[in-house]
Amino acid sequence: MYQCVQPKKSQLNHQKTQVKKDLTPKQVYEIVALSELCAHPANPRKGDIAAIRESIGANGFYGAVVAQRSTGHVLAGNHRLLAAQYEGLTELPVIWLDVDDDRALKILLADNRTNDVAGYDDAALAALLKSLKGDLGGSGYDDESLEILLADLRPAATDAAKGKLSERFGVPPFTVLDARQGYWQERKQAWLALGIQSEIGRGGGEKLTMSHTVQRLKPRADQAAARQTTGRLLPRTRTAP
């Protein structure tokens, strides 16, 4: 089961914002006719009424809209009110607030803005949606939106895996002497533990032989003869051992 989320200590200990003394303005809960309510004419928010209607159809109308007592203007839940009208509801639960017009406008703006500045823990959201086992109706999400969310999470998981692998095996370029150092010996043992066989591809397990580019220089006598004939040394080609 899910556990209740508690405020972090850093959130509890911060300096309190200076606000008015009446932190809880007078408010009354009632069930009222829709005719007593009015979507706020100054509301700048554009909501998705179709999505809200789907939620009402699946989950019913839960909670309450918040409205100013003196005007009947809805301060929080304007699009829920409109969706309820489309769904044919005749009554709604309302919380009436006795506030002046200026404070009513601030509540209207704050209710929208505090949602705008919020975000998601995408991994937790994906896990929550997957826990519904395909029954996403009424959640505001569908299979396509879940697939997009999961696709966005995959690159992050891949990058994280790469980072872990780099931490385990990645080291700066090395020389023959470096290969004898402790950290390379440790990585060699880690590769062996993973089943990596470095000898595969080297002649069926035989010892590594020198390539044609790692061969002895031509004898000095040949170089001296070339200088006498051409006035130049032979190119620094190499002969097989």
Side-chain angles (χ1 to χ4, degrees), residues 141-219:
Y141 293 86
D142 55 22
D143 293 336
E144 181 180 359
S145 58
L146 175 57
E147 284 300 321
I148 292 173
L149 176 62
L150 293 174
D152 288 341
L153 289 171
R154 288 187 194 111
T158 302
D159 291 342
K162 289 181 180 179
K164 291 179 181 178
L165 197 61
S166 175
E167 291 174 2
R168 291 168 60 194
F169 298 109
V171 294
F174 63 95
T175 66
V176 174
L177 293 178
D178 291 326
R180 298 177 182 176
Q181 300 300 316
Y183 58 83
W184 268 107
Q185 292 299 318
E186 292 173 0
R187 279 161 178 75
K188 180 178 180 181
Q189 295 304 316
W191 291 335
L192 293 175
L194 289 174
I196 299 174
Q197 303 178 45
S198 61
E199 69 276 6
I200 292 180
R202 295 179 178 176
E206 298 177 358
K207 292 183 178 179
L208 182 66
T209 58
M210 294 288 186
S211 71
H212 69 279
T213 60
V214 186
Q215 299 168 347
R216 296 192 188 92
L217 291 171
K218 286 183 175 294

Side-chain angles (χ1 to χ4, degrees), residues 66-83:
V66 178
Q68 184 182 16
R69 168 70 81 177
S70 60
T71 63
H73 290 166
V74 172
L75 307 181
N78 280 278
H79 295 93
R80 298 183 70 203
L81 169 63
L82 297 176

Side-chain angles (χ1 to χ4, degrees), residues 25-43:
K26 184 179 179 181
Q27 42 195 305
V28 177
Y29 176 87
E30 288 182 347
I31 302 294
V32 304
L34 265 63
S35 59
E36 295 185 40
L37 299 170
C38 175
H40 203 295
N43 183 29

Side-chain angles (χ1 to χ4, degrees), residues 71-152:
T71 63
H73 290 166
V74 172
L75 307 181
N78 280 278
H79 295 93
R80 298 183 70 203
L81 169 63
L82 297 176
Q85 291 174 335
Y86 280 116
E87 288 297 302
L89 301 183
T90 59
E91 293 181 329
L92 283 183
V94 176
I95 296 176
W96 293 111
L97 294 183
D98 281 322
V99 292
D100 60 32
D101 292 343
D102 285 344
R103 193 165 184 187
L105 289 177
K106 291 179 180 179
I107 293 172
L108 172 71
L109 291 168
D111 185 70
N112 289 328
R113 183 57 177 164
T114 52
N115 279 280
D116 292 338
V117 297
Y120 280 102
D121 178 332
D122 288 342
L125 174 60
L128 185 60
L129 292 173
K130 288 170 66 176
S131 71
L132 294 176
K133 300 178 181 179
D135 184 14
L136 299 178
S139 69
Y141 293 86
D142 55 22
D143 293 336
E144 181 180 359
S145 58
L146 175 57
E147 284 300 321
I148 292 173
L149 176 62
L150 293 174
D152 288 341

Side-chain angles (χ1 to χ4, degrees), residues 220-231:
R220 292 187 177 181
D222 292 347
Q223 294 286 357
R227 174 174 286 177
Q228 291 178 358
T229 305
T230 65

Side-chain angles (χ1 to χ4, degrees), residues 226-240:
R227 174 174 286 177
Q228 291 178 358
T229 305
T230 65
R232 297 178 301 171
L233 289 175
L234 288 173
R236 293 178 65 85
T237 57
R238 301 173 184 269
T239 58

